[in-house]
Amino acid sequence: MIELYTHNTPNGHKISICLEELEIPYTVKHINVYEGEQFQEEFVALNPNAKVPVIVDRETGQTVFESCAILLYLADKTERLVPQSTQGRWEAIQWLFFQAASIGPMFGQRAHFALFAPEKIPYAIERYTKETERLSGVLEQRLKQQKYLCGDEYSIVDIAHWGWVYTAKRMGFGFDQFSSLIAWHDQIAERPAVQKGIQVPGPLPF
């Protein structure tokens, strides 16, 4: 049994989608980040950085934070949704780092400055809009060449990126020029596990 500490965020939805895909039994502990529950002592003991998601694997006693690390842990635990060859595994790890270091932070900064910041700063909005469009172009070129981000097989790399593209589309980011990226997004959106996972612990609030 996996305990999932989460909120309805792109990173949180990565893990619930993965758990649904792998059909691993799990329970959900909702950490309401809007009310600051992530800063409570018992949660900080699980993740010193006070961020969701976190999992606790009651079978092994292992606690894991950082969403891409959790994805890799679950894939390794089940030997599914990650390439098993050394070359394929390192390709997947590289793209997981790309999502964690670039897609998530840059998409998040664009959303913050364009939609949520109390002061609209044109320079910041332009900077992060251009960067998210550049990064979307990287994914577009990749998906022009192959069905999924690591080849012909759906993997945790797709799950990691999909949550952010899904959220960005809901926020109104423009993706019209990225036809391969949108086709990939729409195909994954039809998966039953994805449709279930994005409802945990609740749908996006927009």
Side-chain angles (χ1 to χ4, degrees), residues 165-187:
V165 175
Y166 166 75
T167 302
K169 283 182 84 275
R170 291 284 296 264
M171 288 180 170
F173 288 22
F175 288 97
D176 291 346
Q177 68 270 45
F178 305 116
S179 58
S180 297
L181 179 59
I182 289 304
W184 165 88
H185 169 275
D186 292 349
Q187 179 184 18

Side-chain angles (χ1 to χ4, degrees), residues 15-25 70-82 154 156 159 191 193:
I15 310 309
S16 51
I17 288 170
C18 187
L19 288 164
E20 292 289 344
E21 292 281 7
L22 295 172
E23 300 179 303
I24 297 175
I70 297 171
L71 290 176
L72 191 58
Y73 176 85
L74 294 173
D76 282 353
K77 180 181 176 71
T78 58
E79 297 185 348
R80 292 175 57 197
L81 294 179
V82 69
Y154 175 73
I156 56 172
I159 294 172
R191 298 178 68 90

Side-chain angles (χ1 to χ4, degrees), residues 6 20 51 67 108 112 138 152:
T6 192
E20 292 289 344
K51 300 285 187 181
S67 58
H112 173 76
V138 173
D152 294 331

Side-chain angles (χ1 to χ4, degrees), residues 68-98 142 149-151 153 155-157:
C68 285
I70 297 171
L71 290 176
L72 191 58
Y73 176 85
L74 294 173
D76 282 353
K77 180 181 176 71
T78 58
E79 297 185 348
R80 292 175 57 197
L81 294 179
V82 69
Q84 296 301 302
S85 69
T86 299
Q87 182 177 356
R89 180 179 174 82
W90 277 106
E91 183 177 28
I93 289 172
Q94 289 176 99
W95 284 96
L96 283 176
F97 271 71
F98 173 78
R142 182 79 170 170
L149 288 169
C150 282
E153 299 292 332
S155 74
I156 56 172
V157 176

Side-chain angles (χ1 to χ4, degrees), residues 33-93:
V33 300
Y34 300 131
E35 296 182 2
E37 292 180 356
Q38 71 273 30
F39 299 113
Q40 294 178 355
E41 182 178 354
E42 57 268 31
F43 184 74
V44 174
L46 300 175
N47 181 1
N49 195 33
K51 300 285 187 181
V52 293
V54 175
I55 65 164
V56 177
D57 186 341
R58 290 303 178 189
E59 181 181 17
T60 64
Q62 182 69 54
T63 297
V64 187
F65 61 85
E66 287 296 329
S67 58
C68 285
I70 297 171
L71 290 176
L72 191 58
Y73 176 85
L74 294 173
D76 282 353
K77 180 181 176 71
T78 58
E79 297 185 348
R80 292 175 57 197
L81 294 179
V82 69
Q84 296 301 302
S85 69
T86 299
Q87 182 177 356
R89 180 179 174 82
W90 277 106
E91 183 177 28
I93 289 172

Side-chain angles (χ1 to χ4, degrees), residues 112-121:
H112 173 76
F113 284 106
L115 301 175
F116 304 118
E119 178 185 358
K120 295 296 183 286
I121 304 172

